[in-house]
């Protein structure tokens, strides 16, 4: 299968390119390939003739999005509209990623694809707008909501992922304040890439929630990192209010992989098992 990966050196992009090694993969890198430049994007994709385009590009520094609504919408919504238009015109299947943050967290039990979104911050509003463009313009698409990614390449946009960040801060010997009232599901981008590889070979188009299994707060996640490493860490649990981040975040954004289970996609690991694998593959724990 001829597959173009946008953001091929990002956290998820890196794992996708690695996982799709038996396919004819075209890696697209920013800034040479910029989703906010529709004309250049059109020329490039017209020439490359992919059957599938996987878009991992995002503006997802959530607190910065509050101040830069335009940049947030440019990458997370308008560019996605342009890609969806191209998908229709050039006849490729679009795979696009969205976020657990489209929900407001009031449900307090795992969100399925059938639950209505109600975003609380600019980032999430822009991602939801991107979702609507994909859903309104296309029939053949895979729209994936995921949560709390950690992968070997770390998030390019943020400069780190949560696991690496916790380890680095602990190394500095500081007391690390971690939010203990936001429930999420940390998800290994390596596993997500494997599920995407399976999913794109089906015709089960549409919206999917794809995350690891289980749930925890960010504080509990941090505790598990150091428990697995057998290291003492000076972690301080704090609530969202005292943490004082600029953007409001849902207190509960755990997703249920309902559709994935219905179509028989391979189950994800529990998040703590996936974390163990990640630490071993990264060389932080012995193999
Ligand atoms: N990370 C998470 O915890 C998380 C949670 C839920 C959903 N998601 C979603 O999952 C997707 C992948 O996340 P990730 O963690 O893999 O992100 P990432 O590591 O930041 O990767 C994004 C990639 O896109 C590239 N990019 C940025 N702006 C671009 C543009 N205008 N045109 C083309 N490429 C551009 C980046 O290049 P440069 O690095 O050179 O800028 C990078 O290679 C995103 O849609 C994100 O919203 C992520």
């Amino acid at each position: 299968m001829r597959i173009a990966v946008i953001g091929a050196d990002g956290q998820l992009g890196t794992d996708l390119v690695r996982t799709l090694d038996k396919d004819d993969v075209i890696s697209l890198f920013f800034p040479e390939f910029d989703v906010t430049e529709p004309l250049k994007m059109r020329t490039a994709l017209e020439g490359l003739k992919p059957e599938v385009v996987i878009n991992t590009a995002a503006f997802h520094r959530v607190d910065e999005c509050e101040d830069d609504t335009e940049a947030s919408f440019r990458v997370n919504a308008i560019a996605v509209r342009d890609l969806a238009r191209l998908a229709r015109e050039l006849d490729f299947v679009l795979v696009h990623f969205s976020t657990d943050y489209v929900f407001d967290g009031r449900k307090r039990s795992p969100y399925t694809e059938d639950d209505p979104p109600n975003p609380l911050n600019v980032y999430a509003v822009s991602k939801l707008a991107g979702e609507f463009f994909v859903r309104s313009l296309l029939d053949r698409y895979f729209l994936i909501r995921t949560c709390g990614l950690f992968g070997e390449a770390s998030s390019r946009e943020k400069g780190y992922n949560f696991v690496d960040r916790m380890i680095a801060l602990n190394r500095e010997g500081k007391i690390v304040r971690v939010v203990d009232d936001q429930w999420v599901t940390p998800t290994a981008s390596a596993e997500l890439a494997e599920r995407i590889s399976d999913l794109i070979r089906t015709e089960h188009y549409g919206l999917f929630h794809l995350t690891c299994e289980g749930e925890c707060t960010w504080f509990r996640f941090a505790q598990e990192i150091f428990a697995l490493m057998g290291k003492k860490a000076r972690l301080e649990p704090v609530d969202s209010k005292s943490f004082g981040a600029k953007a409001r975040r849902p207190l509960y954004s755990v997703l249920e992989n309902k559709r994935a289970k219905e179509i028989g996609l391979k189950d994800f690991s529990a998040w703590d098992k996936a974390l163990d694998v990640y630490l071993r593959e990264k060389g932080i724990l012995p193999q």
Side-chain angles (χ1 to χ4, degrees):
M1 204 180 249
R2 191 161 167 79
I3 306 168
V5 178
I6 301 175
D9 55 0
Q11 182 165 236
L12 178 58
T14 301
D15 281 317
L16 281 165
V17 172
R18 194 178 297 150
T19 304
L20 298 167
D21 63 342
K22 300 212 168 42
D23 290 285
D24 179 9
V25 172
I26 308 148
S27 294
L28 299 170
F29 302 104
F30 181 77
E32 294 77 24
F33 187 96
D34 184 341
V35 290
T36 66
E37 293 186 10
L39 295 179
K40 283 196 199 163
M41 195 157 66
R42 186 180 194 288
T43 308
L45 292 175
E46 212 173 14
L48 292 166
K49 299 192 179 12
E51 297 164 76
V52 177
V53 173
I54 308 183
N55 176 35
T56 74
F59 182 43
H60 59 119
R61 292 191 298 270
V62 177
D63 294 312
E64 272 180 48
C65 289
E66 293 296 297
D67 290 329
D68 202 345
T69 307
E70 274 184 28
S72 183
F73 269 76
R74 206 178 306 126
V75 180
N76 299 334
I78 305 298
V80 180
R81 176 203 63 185
D82 294 339
L83 259 176
R85 283 179 174 165
L86 283 176
R88 216 161 53 172
E89 193 188 328
L90 304 176
D91 198 29
F92 58 76
V93 172
L94 181 63
V95 182
H96 178 67
F97 295 90
S98 186
T99 170
D100 55 315
Y101 281 3
V102 296
F103 295 111
D104 63 17
R106 287 198 207 123
K107 188 181 172 198
R108 293 287 171 170
S109 62
Y111 285 95
T112 74
E113 294 86 351
D114 306 321
D115 286 312
N118 184 30
L120 301 179
N121 57 51
V122 170
Y123 165 68
V125 172
S126 69
K127 291 295 279 189
L128 186 59
E131 285 192 11
F132 282 134
F133 280 127
V134 172
R135 297 170 78 169
S136 62
L137 288 168
L138 295 176
D139 297 320
R140 294 195 314 142
Y141 65 86
F142 297 102
L143 178 57
I144 316 294
R145 292 189 187 132
T146 190
C147 175
L149 291 182
F150 56 94
E152 225 182 303
S154 294
S155 174
R156 294 266 301 174
E157 175 77 10
K158 295 179 183 166
Y160 56 84
N161 68 35
F162 182 83
V163 183
D164 301 344
R165 179 87 170 153
M166 287 298 117
I167 293 172
L169 288 173
N170 188 54
R171 212 175 278 138
E172 290 168 20
K174 291 180 187 150
I175 296 178
V176 187
R177 299 165 76 236
V178 191
V179 171
D180 197 25
D181 61 356
Q182 290 173 25
W183 289 80
V184 293
T185 304
T187 298
S189 57
E191 273 201 46
L192 178 56
E194 285 170 20
R195 297 307 172 276
I196 301 296
S197 173
D198 293 341
L199 189 57
I200 58 175
R201 288 165 227 286
T202 75
E203 291 188 355
H204 292 291
Y205 301 118
L207 174 65
F208 286 86
H209 288 181
L210 295 181
T211 67
C212 277
E213 290 294 329
E215 57 186 57
C216 62
T217 66
W218 292 106
F219 176 73
R220 168 82 190 84
F221 183 19
Q223 277 186 317
E224 186 65 19
I225 296 165
F226 296 108
L228 288 171
M229 290 170 67
K231 279 220 155 109
K232 275 207 158 73
R234 298 163 74 204
L235 301 173
E236 183 193 334
V238 293
D239 62 19
S240 302
K241 210 168 167 207
S242 27
F243 190 78
K246 187 156 211 163
R248 249 191 341 145
R249 288 159 168 84
L251 294 182
Y252 188 94
S253 58
V254 174
L255 305 179
E256 187 181 330
N257 303 337
K258 181 168 174 256
R259 270 203 79 205
K261 285 174 187 158
E262 282 168 2
I263 66 160
L265 205 67
K266 189 177 170 207
D267 285 342
F268 277 80
S269 312
W271 67 265
D272 49 346
K273 296 276 178 313
L275 173 62
D276 187 281
V277 170
Y278 171 80
L279 293 173
R280 286 178 202 287
E281 287 189 349
K282 198 133 184 176
I284 295 166
L285 289 179
Q287 285 282 347

